[in-house]
Amino acid sequence: QVQLVESGGGLVQAGGSLRLSCAASGSIVSINAMAWYRQAPGKQRELVAQITSLGSTNYADSAKGRFTISREYAKNTVDLQMNSLQPEDTAVYYCNVNTKPRIGVRWDYWGPGTQVTVSS
């Protein structure tokens, strides 16, 4: 059974950096993409960064130029390097793994989330 665990969250001052890591346990097959989402209080969950099985990346406009997503295939991990953090980045960050194990079937796995707080 697949489980995802995030780490690396914490408190940082504006302009600082954090590196989030997501470690997957169990067998994961047919990965379509891995991603980081975040949800701030009172706001809808949003996609921050995504990396596909082919290595292409996509970023939210607010993350472009500041955040970098990467995947280490051998370890089944996905990291998010966050630089120049702003108070608006404060949120719970969730790791997501999207799989397509068979035609017409799509499964999403989620971690429990890690808190990122950016002070002014």
Side-chain angles (χ1 to χ4, degrees), residues 65-80:
R66 300 189 299 126
F67 294 3
T68 302
I69 189 170
S70 61
R71 179 185 175 188
E72 191 164 336
Y73 295 94
K75 296 183 178 180
N76 277 341
T77 60
V78 58
D79 292 357
L80 184 68

Side-chain angles (χ1 to χ4, degrees), residues 31-38 46-61 63-64 67-71 73 78-80 94-99 106 108 110:
I31 294 177
N32 182 53
M34 303 181 76
W36 285 93
Y37 288 76
R38 69 186 180 189
E46 65 174 342
L47 176 67
V48 179
Q50 177 191 65
I51 184 166
T52 71
S53 60
L54 297 179
S56 63
T57 58
N58 297 292
Y59 296 92
D61 288 340
K64 291 180 180 177
F67 294 3
T68 302
I69 189 170
S70 61
R71 179 185 175 188
Y73 295 94
V78 58
D79 292 357
L80 184 68
Y94 298 93
C95 178
N96 167 265
V97 178
N98 173 254
T99 67
R106 178 174 177 174
D108 282 284
W110 294 90

Side-chain angles (χ1 to χ4, degrees), residues 7-29:
S7 63
L11 175 64
V12 65
Q13 294 183 351
S17 299
L18 285 174
R19 187 176 183 88
L20 305 182
S21 295
C22 174
S25 62
S27 298
I28 302 180
V29 297

